Amino acid sequence: MPKVMVSMPDELLAEVDAEVRRLGSTRSAVMRDFADAALRRRREGRAVAIGALLGEAGAHGGRAAELVKATRPEP
Amino acid sequence: MTTLLLDASVLLAAFDSEDDQHEQARALLEDDEVTLATLDLARYEVANVAVRAWRAPDSVAPLLATVERLEEDGGVIPSTRPLLSLAAELAEAHRISVYDAAYVAVVAERAHRLVSCDRRDLVSRDLAVLPAQAH
């Protein structure tokens, strides 16, 4: 696993360290979990929001890839 | 986890129940286990098809809103000069349009995986995979 150097404000680092102590874990593990959780929330938010938008799908005849090319500007 | 770069055809197929990739494209967009991104070009392409080919201007808003949701996930990648320079080289090398090559250039620059419904120019040349093959 690659190692990275991260800069952060003292106050934020203090909160991370408090979480490290609470969990009996390490800075690396806690920050990995935070990053993973943040990205997961982002993906879940996108999936739900797009799911709602897809309720507006209709019947348009198919051939999406062909239509993209057909409607591009002519040289 | 590899970010999947969706081209405009995938977004359009998801919104067209008659497209043969509809179900797979839709499942991909609703999959919360993958990170999804697209290129800024997709905004023009989806709007253009909705207005000029589908004759469904009401579809533009949900299509563009979908692109914005991708912005909040893996991002909407800008067509910068370096990216388009690379796209021009790739277009020449693969004999494809610069439009298609712009998506391929993102893959080359960022190690994303391109997903497209374009069998003829992208999937058949192993430059992209179909939505069903993306997982």
Side-chain angles (χ1 to χ4, degrees):
Chain A
M1 173 163 12
K3 292 191 176 191
V4 296
M5 188 179 293
V6 178
S7 301
M8 67 176 69
D10 290 339
E11 299 79 13
L12 183 56
L13 182 58
E15 288 193 71
V16 170
D17 284 342
E19 190 68 2
V20 168
R21 286 191 296 275
R22 188 178 75 79
L23 297 173
S25 186
T26 63
R27 280 180 176 173
S28 288
V30 164
M31 291 176 66
R32 261 197 317 271
D33 289 347
F34 282 175
D36 185 61
L39 293 171
R40 179 171 298 280
R41 276 197 304 277
R42 202 174 71 171
R43 293 195 299 268
E44 289 171 351
R46 178 264 304 156
V48 169
I50 291 181
L53 290 166
L54 285 168
E56 299 186 46
H60 300 293
R63 304 181 300 113
E66 286 177 51
L67 294 179
V68 169
K69 291 180 192 299
T71 55
R72 283 172 176 161
E74 293 289 329
Chain B
M1 179 187 303
T2 302
T3 296
L4 300 180
L5 180 75
L6 309 184
D7 77 1
S9 68
V10 177
L11 304 179
L12 289 161
F15 277 86
D16 181 358
S17 60
E18 294 182 332
D19 197 284
D20 65 2
Q21 292 294 308
H22 172 68
E23 290 301 332
Q24 297 90 333
R26 187 179 176 125
L28 195 53
L29 283 165
E30 293 184 284
D31 186 344
D32 62 13
E33 293 295 319
V34 293
T35 296
L36 304 179
T38 192
L39 185 62
D40 56 4
L41 171 64
R43 289 194 179 101
Y44 295 92
E45 293 183 321
V46 297
N48 217 19
V49 168
V51 172
R52 293 187 53 204
W54 290 357
R55 305 289 180 200
D58 289 349
S59 297
V60 172
L63 282 163
L64 293 181
T66 297
V67 174
E68 296 320 305
R69 292 302 179 177
L70 298 181
E71 171 83 69
E72 296 161 11
D73 187 14
V76 177
I77 295 157
S79 302
T80 59
R81 191 169 73 176
L83 184 82
L84 292 179
S85 296
L86 177 56
E89 292 173 20
L90 291 168
E92 184 68 13
H94 294 288
R95 299 287 175 198
I96 57 178
S97 72
V98 174
Y99 299 101
D100 289 332
Y103 290 98
V104 178
V106 175
V107 171
E109 270 196 346
R110 303 192 181 206
H112 288 2
R113 188 175 197 201
L114 178 57
V115 185
S116 175
C117 300
D118 183 355
R119 289 183 172 89
R120 189 190 73 187
D121 289 338
L122 296 176
V123 176
S124 67
R125 297 166 202 236
D126 291 329
L127 297 171
V129 295
L130 291 168
Q133 303 165 322
H135 290 90

